């Protein structure tokens, strides 16, 4: 079978400022996949940077043997579909990734998928209604409530009405603003105020009381539609769901560290798992997420952010795409990221035993340090992203290191080895946090 893996982007990418390193390389991973499933022909077609699919440097890509590569040059979704159809795939699989400032690439891939289906190409991709609803956090909240899935109480704030409605000459008072403030007082604090369509935790504001929330909403930082959401305290976690056509597999969750504000920052957090602790009510979580997957008709990989408050699980966010957790789950199952992507569309996801796995962040490393890091046999995957044009340190990038072990003691020892092998005095908190999370959860 000719199988096409495709992904699109909405952003300019000249390759000069964005530098990515994946070890083992994407090319090696896909080459091994092609050898393992030699009965298939694999095609990769993407817009750069093509995360998870290609190794790119200054718009040039490293190619694997026995894989056909194509760079998508058109930006119009209908033309993209026509180009992909010209490659004559028997099956097309969407492999959406993410970019700033809007986490909407899964939406674009869904539009392409609808056009491919019209051209007679069987395509597995999350439906457009699903990706749109997950892109807009206000719509996500409405979907979760509609299907009876636990989520924090939230209030939608329309920026234009809240800020500008009262400036019109004929309007004496801003009724919408009055209503929002009245409802804002009924929320249980602290609350998180966040952009409805942003990526990651950028722009989030944690407010401890109504006065703090009001100060933020009146400030110049309030520049877009927002949702004010009650902050659930407890165990922060995430999982991925794989499958299609009503048949899904929910992965046991990874526990996330939180920052000083009590929220997870994907570019700074530590992830430990998968956890099966009975106190976390994993069967109840699985039941809720299977219901979610069937309700939204997932097709492929979907990542879900969660909080367990000691009694119940709550869904915080849904990302219908590949995520920072994809490679972590692959390591925990002892397979490559490419093989996980390939299997994620299956209606019968292969069952595997899990290794205890830690995803920890390093600062940006030199090429020599990256190679030295990968020599440790317990370090299974390294992903480094560097944006040399970024003005803020946090946006400059990071090096994600994924390591594993068979036992808690073995992983603790591996973490200590890494800590003692690199001059990372400013990163000691990451190691301390990881050690503590392992101790508490296993």
């Amino acid at each position: 079978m000719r199988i096409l893996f495709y992904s699109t982007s909405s952003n300019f990418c000249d390759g000069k400022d964005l530098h990515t390193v994946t070890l083992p390389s994407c090319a090696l991973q896909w080459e091994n996949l092609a050898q393992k499933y030699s009965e298939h022909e694999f095609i990769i077609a993407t817009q750069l940077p093509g995360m998870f699919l290609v190794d790119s440097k200054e718009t040039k890509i490293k190619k694997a043997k026995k894989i056909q590569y194509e760079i998508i040059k058109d930006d119009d979704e209908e033309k993209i579909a026509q180009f992909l159809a010209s490659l004559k795939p028997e099956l097309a699989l969407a492999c959406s990734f993410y970019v700033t400032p809007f986490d909407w690439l899964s939406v674009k891939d869904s539009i392409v998928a609808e056009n491919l289906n019209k051209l007679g190409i069987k395509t597995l991709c999350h439906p457009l209604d699903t990706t749109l609803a997950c892109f807009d956090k206000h719509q996500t909240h409405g979907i979760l409530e509609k299907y009876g899935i636990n989520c924090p109480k939230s209030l939608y704030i329309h920026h234009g009405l809240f800020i500008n409605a009262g400036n019109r000459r004929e309007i004496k008072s801003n009724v919408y603003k009055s209503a929002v403030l009245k409802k804002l007082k009924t929320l249980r604090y602290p609350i998180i105020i966040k952009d409805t369509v942003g990526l990651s935790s950028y722009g989030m504001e944690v407010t401890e009381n109504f006065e703090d929330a009001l100060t933020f909403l009146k400030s110049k930082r309030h520049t877009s539609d927002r949702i004010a959401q009650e902050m659930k305290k407890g165990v922060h976690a995430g999982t991925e769901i794989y499958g299609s056509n009503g048949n899904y597999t929910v992965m046991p969750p990874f526990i996330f560290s939180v920052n000083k504000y009590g929220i997870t920052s994907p570019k700074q957090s530590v992830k430990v798992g998968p956890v099966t602790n009975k106190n976390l009510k994993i069967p109840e979580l699985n039941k809720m997420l299977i219901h979610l997957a069937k309700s939204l008709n997932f097709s492929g990989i979907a990542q879900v952010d969660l909080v367990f408050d000691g009694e119940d699980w709550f869904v915080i966010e849904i990302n219908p795409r590949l995520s920072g957790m994809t490679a972590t789950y692959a390591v925990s199952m002892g397979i490559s990221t490419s093989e996980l992507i390939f299997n994620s569309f299956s209606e019968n996801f292969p069952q595997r035993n899990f290794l205890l796995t830690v995803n920890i962040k390093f600062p940006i490393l030199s090429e020599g340090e990256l190679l030295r890091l990968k020599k440790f046999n317990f370090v299974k995957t390294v992903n480094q992203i560097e944006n040399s044009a970024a003005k803020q340190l946090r946006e400059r990038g990071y090096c994600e290191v994924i390591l594993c072990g068979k036992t808690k003691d073995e992983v603790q020892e591996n973490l200590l080895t890494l800590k003692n092998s690199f001059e990372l005095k400013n990163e000691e908190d990451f190691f301390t946090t990881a050690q503590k999370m392992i101790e508490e959860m296993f």
Side-chain angles (χ1 to χ4, degrees):
M1 179 181 290
R2 280 178 64 82
I3 301 176
L4 167 69
F5 299 89
Y6 80 90
S7 59
T8 62
S9 181
S10 60
N11 290 18
F12 294 104
C13 182
D14 61 10
K16 294 179 181 179
D17 297 323
L18 186 65
H19 311 283
T20 62
V21 177
T22 301
L23 299 173
S25 68
C26 291
L28 179 60
Q29 292 183 52
W30 287 101
E31 188 171 307
N32 290 338
L33 185 74
Q35 291 176 351
K36 184 172 183 178
Y37 297 94
S38 58
E39 69 273 22
H40 299 302
E41 295 179 55
F42 291 144
I43 312 162
I44 290 176
T46 186
Q47 289 180 300
L48 296 178
M51 292 170 62
F52 301 96
L53 296 182
V54 299
D55 308 283
S56 61
K57 185 176 182 181
E58 295 183 356
T59 70
K60 295 181 180 179
I61 63 173
K62 183 178 180 180
K63 296 182 178 181
K65 297 177 182 178
K66 299 182 179 181
I67 301 282
Q68 179 181 344
Y69 286 88
E70 302 289 345
I71 299 298
I72 300 171
K73 297 179 181 179
D74 280 301
D75 200 49
D76 177 81
E77 292 84 3
E78 187 172 348
K79 291 180 179 179
I80 291 173
Q82 291 171 351
F83 170 70
L84 296 179
S86 74
L87 303 176
K88 302 189 182 305
E90 297 172 73
L91 176 64
L93 307 177
C95 302
S96 308
F97 56 98
Y98 45 90
V99 293
T100 57
F102 301 122
D103 194 1
W104 60 7
L105 299 190
S106 57
V107 176
K108 186 171 183 179
D109 287 339
S110 294
I111 299 172
V112 172
E114 288 194 351
N115 289 319
L116 279 170
N117 284 324
K118 289 179 181 178
L119 294 171
I121 306 297
K122 182 180 179 181
T123 306
L124 292 179
C125 176
H126 300 298
L128 180 56
D129 286 346
T130 297
T131 54
L132 274 173
C134 295
F135 164 57
D136 185 327
K137 295 179 179 63
H138 173 49
Q139 289 190 49
T140 304
H141 186 264
I143 287 289
L144 293 173
E145 286 191 328
K146 175 183 177 180
Y147 292 115
I149 295 166
N150 292 338
C151 58
K153 185 177 179 181
S154 299
L155 171 65
Y156 170 63
I157 305 168
H158 186 287
H159 176 263
L161 284 173
F162 187 90
I163 298 295
N164 299 320
N167 292 339
R168 299 187 183 184
R169 183 176 300 175
E170 66 273 25
I171 294 178
K172 183 179 179 180
S173 61
N174 188 338
V175 176
Y176 178 79
K177 182 177 180 180
S178 298
V180 166
L181 296 181
K182 183 174 179 60
K183 286 194 171 186
L184 200 61
K185 290 179 180 178
T186 68
L187 296 180
R188 180 178 296 176
Y189 287 79
I191 65 170
I192 301 172
I193 302 177
K194 52 187 176 181
D195 194 326
T196 58
V197 295
L199 174 70
S200 187
S201 57
Y202 289 136
M204 281 189 184
E205 186 76 13
V206 177
T207 57
E208 298 293 335
N209 50 56
F210 171 76
E211 288 72 24
D212 288 346
L214 180 60
T215 297
F216 172 79
L217 292 174
K218 287 183 175 181
S219 72
K220 292 182 179 180
R221 290 177 294 159
H222 180 205
T223 58
S224 62
D225 290 0
R226 305 271 173 166
I227 59 170
Q229 188 174 80
E230 291 185 350
M231 185 174 176
K232 286 293 178 182
K233 295 185 178 181
V235 177
H236 288 244
T239 186
E240 286 191 331
I241 303 171
Y242 311 136
S244 61
N245 300 320
N247 297 293
Y248 300 103
T249 298
V250 176
M251 291 292 101
F254 269 72
I255 303 303
F256 297 167
S257 66
V258 297
N259 60 22
K260 62 181 180 181
Y261 302 107
I263 59 177
T264 298
S265 175
K267 293 185 178 181
Q268 296 177 313
S269 72
V270 175
K271 302 178 180 71
V272 174
V275 294
T276 55
N277 192 315
K278 293 181 179 179
N279 295 329
L280 294 179
K281 298 184 178 180
I282 303 299
E284 288 88 337
L285 172 63
N286 288 344
K287 183 178 179 180
M288 180 178 73
L289 293 180
I290 289 292
H291 174 52
L292 172 66
K294 290 182 176 180
S295 298
L296 293 179
N297 193 24
F298 285 155
S299 186
I301 291 180
Q303 189 271 330
V304 184
D305 288 333
L306 305 155
V307 172
F308 180 68
D309 71 353
E311 293 292 332
D312 298 299
W313 284 97
F314 291 82
V315 173
I316 305 301
E317 188 170 307
I318 309 168
N319 299 303
R321 54 164 171 75
L322 304 178
S323 76
M325 296 188 68
T326 306
T328 307
Y329 273 115
V331 168
S332 72
M333 288 184 278
I335 60 177
S336 68
T337 303
S338 61
E339 186 168 359
L340 175 54
I341 293 170
F342 178 63
N343 288 327
S344 68
F345 292 90
S346 172
E347 296 177 18
N348 296 295
F349 188 83
Q351 296 297 313
R352 296 181 181 273
N353 295 321
F354 294 102
L355 291 169
L356 176 53
T357 304
V358 177
N359 180 316
I360 193 167
K361 306 298 188 299
F362 279 28
I364 296 171
L365 301 179
S366 66
E367 183 177 351
E369 288 173 321
L370 288 170
L371 294 175
R372 182 160 64 92
L373 185 63
K374 193 60 183 68
K375 287 181 179 180
F376 292 102
N377 60 6
F378 54 82
V379 174
K380 301 301 181 182
T381 298
V382 177
N383 293 307
Q384 179 161 288
I385 300 176
E386 180 181 5
N387 181 3
S388 59
K391 296 179 180 179
Q392 296 182 14
L393 181 61
R394 185 186 175 202
E395 296 177 352
R396 185 70 184 268
Y398 59 92
C399 179
E400 178 183 70
V401 182
I402 307 174
L403 61 138
C404 63
K406 295 180 180 178
T407 66
K408 179 173 75 173
D409 289 343
E410 184 177 319
V411 175
Q412 298 270 32
E413 184 178 338
N414 292 343
L415 280 168
L416 186 60
T417 299
L418 282 185
K419 180 181 177 181
N420 292 336
S421 299
F422 288 83
E423 294 277 340
L424 299 172
K425 294 182 178 179
N426 294 332
E427 310 300 320
E428 287 189 7
D429 286 347
F430 285 103
F431 290 97
T432 302
T433 298
Q435 299 270 9
K436 183 178 180 181
M437 291 168 67
I438 293 168
E439 202 62 47
E440 291 178 350
M441 290 295 166
F442 296 92

